Amino acid sequence: MAKTSTTTQGLRAAIERSGYYPALVAEAVEAAVGGEPIRSYLVHQETTFDQNEVRRHVTVLVLTGNRFIVSHTDEQAADSTSPTPYATTSTESVKLGRISSIVVSRVVANPESYKPGTLPREIVLTIGWGAVSRIDLEPAACGDPNCEADHGYTGNSTADDLSLRVSEAGDGPETVRQALDFAQALSEATADPTR
């Protein structure tokens, strides 16, 4: 899909609907996108509880013809570094060829009566491009229960750059559909062998 005023306006409207510092978020996202056509986008706001504080966070994902752009905006309470509350916005631009994995985990109710096309109750979208990896290690062992030798360690390395949970109950069915559409568009874009 070429960047049209409709696509740009849709992204801007989604950012404004989130109600989360829309001018700040939109400026950061638009600067990262530049003049590239927008193929797909997803705006996801999340509220978390941190001890006695409520914190909001918004993630904006944008797919262009050549890049995957991630924008995060967090708010912080006043602290020793700032006498007033503040927000931090960051954007990361990833070439599509660097994306190594896209995982979509779907949670469906009553799977025995599932009908194709029914929205999942929730999805978790995990995207890896090698910027962040998680290593889980544990001591290795052999089959001998009396063995006291050191067998080193065994474990797994998992690409875990971005993980986003979207649920029908918390975000609404339209956001779940948008997340699935975005995941499909990103998957199709990274399947292109020329990237």
Side-chain angles (χ1 to χ4, degrees):
M1 169 190 322
K3 183 176 183 180
T4 63
S5 60
T6 304
T7 305
T8 303
Q9 289 171 355
L11 174 57
R12 175 65 95 139
I15 290 170
E16 288 176 4
R17 261 192 318 278
S18 80
Y20 187 78
Y21 308 120
L24 174 65
V25 173
E27 181 180 54
V29 170
E30 289 168 3
V33 170
E36 276 194 81
I38 297 172
R39 295 174 65 178
S40 187
Y41 62 85
L42 175 64
V43 177
H44 182 254
Q45 183 187 346
E46 184 176 19
T47 302
T48 57
F49 300 93
D50 183 15
Q51 295 176 2
N52 297 331
E53 296 179 23
V54 176
R55 293 187 187 218
R56 297 182 301 161
H57 171 86
V58 69
T59 301
V60 180
L61 308 179
V62 178
L63 174 62
T64 71
N66 299 307
R67 298 179 298 146
F68 166 62
I69 297 165
V70 182
S71 174
H72 294 286
T73 303
D74 292 294
E75 65 183 357
Q76 304 293 327
D79 59 22
S80 62
T81 63
S82 176
T84 60
Y86 60 98
T88 304
T89 300
S90 63
T91 56
E92 183 173 1
S93 177
V94 180
K95 289 185 177 186
L96 290 177
R98 293 225 22 236
I99 295 178
S100 56
S101 68
I102 301 166
V103 179
V104 180
S105 299
R106 301 167 190 241
V107 177
V108 298
N110 303 312
E112 69 282 353
S113 60
Y114 176 80
K115 291 183 175 71
T118 303
L119 279 179
R121 189 170 65 194
E122 70 180 60
I123 70 162
V124 177
L125 173 61
T126 304
I127 304 167
W129 57 90
V132 178
S133 293
R134 182 181 67 233
I135 298 177
D136 296 319
L137 294 175
E138 61 184 39
C142 67
D144 180 359
N146 297 320
C147 180
E148 295 181 11
D150 182 355
H151 295 285
Y153 289 89
T154 185
N156 296 309
S157 176
T158 308
D160 199 15
D161 296 305
L162 174 74
S163 190
L164 190 69
R165 179 183 172 267
V166 179
S167 72
E168 186 176 31
D171 304 298
E174 184 56 32
T175 304
V176 173
R177 180 165 309 290
Q178 289 173 344
L180 287 169
D181 290 347
F182 183 84
Q184 182 175 347
L186 183 60
S187 184
E188 290 170 359
T190 58
D192 182 349
T194 63
R195 299 206 188 282

